[in-house]
């Protein structure tokens, strides 16, 4: 069974970047069609997808019970490069011919390093479902990656720690107040006391794929 190779690069100036590499036994043109055709995207992506496949175009994602979300396409070079932005994260797909098949490489900048394992697990599932779709079969579906897959990707190299506070006597934290879907909850540290709201803030951009 083909597997996805995943690495986390935290050496760049823009923060952590997830790298995914997977070989598909199909020519680049076939895989490109699965990346840029609405019907095929909707088979292996965990939501309904519409796409205006052109330079300057966009993807529109519609998750069940939620309003559509439009993602701008930033690169479009058939049948080799597709890039778009999703919730402040940048995603870039490249296809390279390899024998009778092709090598897919995906990069995903990570806004929230603590959610990197979930994002990795979500894309792993999607890329596996893409393989199933390319073979002419129907993915088994589901709401997201399982806990075992997420736990596996927690073994990725961790992001660097935040820089130390140069002030030996920093001021006490100021509680922050945020309204989320009509609910405002804070604790003394300034973070939401409701863990469901905290979880919702992590499920942004491609992090949506890591919500089980």
């Amino acid at each position: 069974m083909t597997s996805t190779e995943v690495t986390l690069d935290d050496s760049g100036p823009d923060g952590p970047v997830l790298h995914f590499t997977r070989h598909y036994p199909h020519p680049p043109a076939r895989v490109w069609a699965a990346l840029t055709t609405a019907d095929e995207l909707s088979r292996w992506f965990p939501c309904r997808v519409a796409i205006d496949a052109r330079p300057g175009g966009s993807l529109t994602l519609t998750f069940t019970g939620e309003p559509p979300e439009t993602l701008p396409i930033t690169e479009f070079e058939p049948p080799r490069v597709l890039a778009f932005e999703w919730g402040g994260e940048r995603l870039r797909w490249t296809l390279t011919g390899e024998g009778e098949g092709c090598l897919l490489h995906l990069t995903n900048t990570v806004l929230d390093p603590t959610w990197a394992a979930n994002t990795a697990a979500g894309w792993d599932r999607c890329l596996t479902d893409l393989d199933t779709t390319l073979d002419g079969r129907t993915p088994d579906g589901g709401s997201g990656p399982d806990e075992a897959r997420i736990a596996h990707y927690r073994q990725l190299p961790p992001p660097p720690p935040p820089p130390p506070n140069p002030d030996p006597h920093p001021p006490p934290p100021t509680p922050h107040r945020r309204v989320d879907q009509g609910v405002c909850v804070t604790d003394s540290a300034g973070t939401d006391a409701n863990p469901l709201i905290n979880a919702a803030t992590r499920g942004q951009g491609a992090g949506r794929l890591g919500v089980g």
Side-chain angles (χ1 to χ4, degrees), residues 24 27-33 35 79-81 93-97 102-105:
Y24 292 96
R30 174 69 189 95
V31 181
W32 178 259
L35 296 179
R80 193 178 64 87
V81 180
W93 309 70
T94 61
L95 300 176
T96 306
C102 76
L103 196 67
L104 181 150
H105 183 218

Side-chain angles (χ1 to χ4, degrees), residues 19 58 85 96 104 109 115 177 206 211:
H19 292 258
S58 63
E85 296 182 357
T96 306
L104 181 150
T109 60
W115 200 247
R177 191 172 186 274
V211 179

Side-chain angles (χ1 to χ4, degrees), residues 27-120:
R30 174 69 189 95
V31 181
W32 178 259
L35 296 179
T36 58
T37 304
D39 286 347
E40 296 219 54
L41 278 165
S42 297
R43 288 177 191 151
W44 60 270
F45 220 74
C47 67
R48 183 162 53 86
V49 183
I51 182 169
D52 179 12
R54 61 180 177 84
S58 63
L59 293 90
T60 300
L61 311 183
T62 305
F63 286 86
T64 302
E66 299 183 19
E69 182 177 6
T70 300
L71 321 180
I73 291 176
T74 55
E75 289 184 74
F76 189 83
E77 300 176 17
R80 193 178 64 87
V81 180
L82 171 67
F84 54 87
E85 296 182 357
W86 186 4
E89 297 183 340
R90 298 186 301 278
L91 296 97
R92 190 172 192 267
W93 309 70
T94 61
L95 300 176
T96 306
E98 188 177 67
E100 296 183 356
C102 76
L103 196 67
L104 181 150
H105 183 218
L106 165 65
T107 59
N108 185 155
T109 60
V110 178
L111 283 181
D112 182 355
T114 67
W115 200 247
N118 296 70
T119 302

